[in-house]
Amino acid sequence: MSKETLRFVKMHGCGNDYIYFDCFNQTIADPEGLSILLSDRHKGVGGDGIILVCPSETADGKMRIFNADGSEAMMCGNGIRCVAKFLYDTGLCRKKHLEIDTLSGVKYCDIIEKGGEAAAVTVDMGRAELVPERIPVSLPGESVVDRKIAVAGGEYQVTCVSMGNPHCVIFGGDPMELDLEAIGPRFEKDKIFPNGVNTEFIEVLDSRTLKMRVWERGSGETMACGTGACAAAVAACLNGYCRTGEDITVRLRGGDLVINYTPERVLMTGEAVKVFSGEVKVSSTFSKVAGLGTESQGLKR
């Protein structure tokens, strides 16, 4: 069985790690299957999924995200910062102000440079969506803010937001005390969320600081979630815990993100870090499910 060698870069933003492929100069035939194969932390490279950095006819580059279970995501806040870093550092687009196309539309990124490389990125994530059917969440009304609902086998006060993907935000005590492995999947698969949901559990530390733990659809618990941090800050402002137009620090398991929310846009600032680059040999004919055993693997770092 013939094999092909694919070049990749492992990167992370606040510990939210993905495997990035330059699709300007190589072709990825089966990204769904490749994500399942390589995301495995014991038999693959290890990551929350893979991200393809592709050419775009309307922007400086295009991002496609595939979760660890092979499903394609609409948006990834930590991922887009790393895509901006990838485009800038590799010279594919050496611009301080980048436009990156996603399934959630074009996002605008400002590079914060250090030593000739992108060290951090500010992303204009656009407007937060609050209309239930556009999130989507199967609830009536113009918005879902601090609403008590029956979900995931219990009753919770929730605020629902879309940042290009659906989020359910819950405020309470220390989220580190939760059994997230038990409760997270119940939110993700609850029938009230027709497309699944990312769930953020938030402790308000003060008017400018939030502590967050997240369960992401398709990936499970992750070290950080950029769109989730944005949703948390939006929800905190809507519930009166924080003020619009002020920087809000969201403390995640993998690091901090700074979010600034107004009704017109949400700005997210955080690190973008290269871990290592390498090559992986895969069967040129592997499918989404079959042929993903050890024979198709040949990881080189």
Side-chain angles (χ1 to χ4, degrees):
M1 183 179 294
S2 62
K3 293 184 177 182
E4 61 178 328
T5 299
L6 301 174
R7 298 177 302 279
F8 70 89
V9 177
K10 176 77 175 285
M11 305 177 77
H12 81 84
C14 295
N16 193 193
D17 57 338
Y18 287 87
I19 305 152
Y20 293 75
F21 289 92
D22 175 359
C23 293
F24 283 75
N25 298 298
Q26 64 184 345
T27 300
I28 306 298
D30 180 11
E32 298 92 342
L34 191 64
S35 189
I36 295 170
L37 171 67
L38 297 185
S39 297
D40 189 289
R41 297 190 182 275
H42 299 287
K43 298 181 180 180
V45 178
D48 292 324
I50 71 170
I51 291 181
L52 309 186
V53 186
C54 309
S56 169
E57 295 182 357
T58 59
D60 297 309
K62 181 177 181 178
M63 174 175 76
R64 293 187 67 193
I65 316 109
F66 294 87
N67 297 316
D69 66 356
S71 60
E72 186 166 6
M74 298 285 288
M75 184 57 197
C76 175
N78 290 313
I80 198 170
R81 296 200 313 278
C82 290
V83 169
K85 176 179 174 64
F86 188 96
L87 289 168
Y88 187 81
D89 289 359
T90 60
L92 285 169
C93 191
R94 192 75 177 175
K95 292 166 57 177
K96 289 285 187 73
H97 308 287
L98 291 166
E99 297 181 3
I100 298 176
D101 195 11
T102 77
L103 289 179
S104 297
V106 174
K107 307 300 180 186
Y108 303 93
C109 304
D110 289 336
I111 299 293
I112 301 169
E113 185 187 86
K114 183 177 181 180
E117 296 183 344
V121 180
T122 296
V123 185
D124 184 341
M125 300 289 287
R127 296 178 62 134
E129 180 59 69
L130 302 176
V131 178
E133 58 265 30
R134 296 176 186 168
I135 293 175
V137 54
S138 300
L139 292 170
E142 297 182 357
S143 64
V144 179
V145 177
D146 193 29
R147 189 183 301 188
K148 188 175 184 179
I149 63 171
V151 61
E155 288 191 336
Y156 295 87
Q157 298 284 143
V158 306
T159 297
C160 295
V161 181
S162 174
M163 291 304 309
N165 47 14
H167 293 272
C168 178
V169 182
I170 301 160
F171 294 94
D174 187 350
M176 299 310 296
E177 297 179 357
L178 294 172
D179 184 358
L180 199 56
E181 289 289 335
I183 194 173
R186 301 191 71 179
F187 271 89
E188 178 183 357
K189 303 297 184 182
D190 195 285
K191 63 182 180 180
I192 201 171
F193 303 109
N195 294 342
V197 75
N198 303 285
T199 309
E200 288 79 32
F201 298 90
I202 309 298
E203 180 183 11
V204 179
L205 300 182
D206 58 47
S207 64
R208 301 187 71 159
T209 313
L210 307 175
K211 183 178 181 181
M212 172 178 134
R213 196 172 173 199
V214 58
W215 181 272
E216 294 195 57
R217 62 175 183 173
S219 295
E221 183 175 11
T222 58
M223 296 291 286
C225 176
T227 57
C230 292
V234 171
C237 291
L238 295 175
N239 282 279
Y241 297 119
C242 301
R243 291 182 288 274
T244 60
E246 293 188 355
D247 286 349
I248 300 167
T249 299
V250 182
R251 294 182 178 173
L252 306 132
R253 291 183 62 203
D256 293 351
L257 290 173
V258 177
I259 312 298
N260 190 298
Y261 162 70
T262 69
E264 290 74 35
R265 86 296 179 267
V266 182
L267 300 181
M268 172 189 62
T269 302
E271 65 177 8
V273 181
K274 177 181 176 180
V275 184
F276 61 82
S277 59
E279 297 177 342
V280 59
K281 289 184 178 180
V282 298
S283 166
S284 59
T285 58
F286 72 88
S287 69
K288 294 182 182 179
V289 179
L292 295 183
T294 54
E295 181 182 80
S296 68
Q297 301 183 43
L299 180 63
K300 293 169 60 182
R301 295 188 182 182

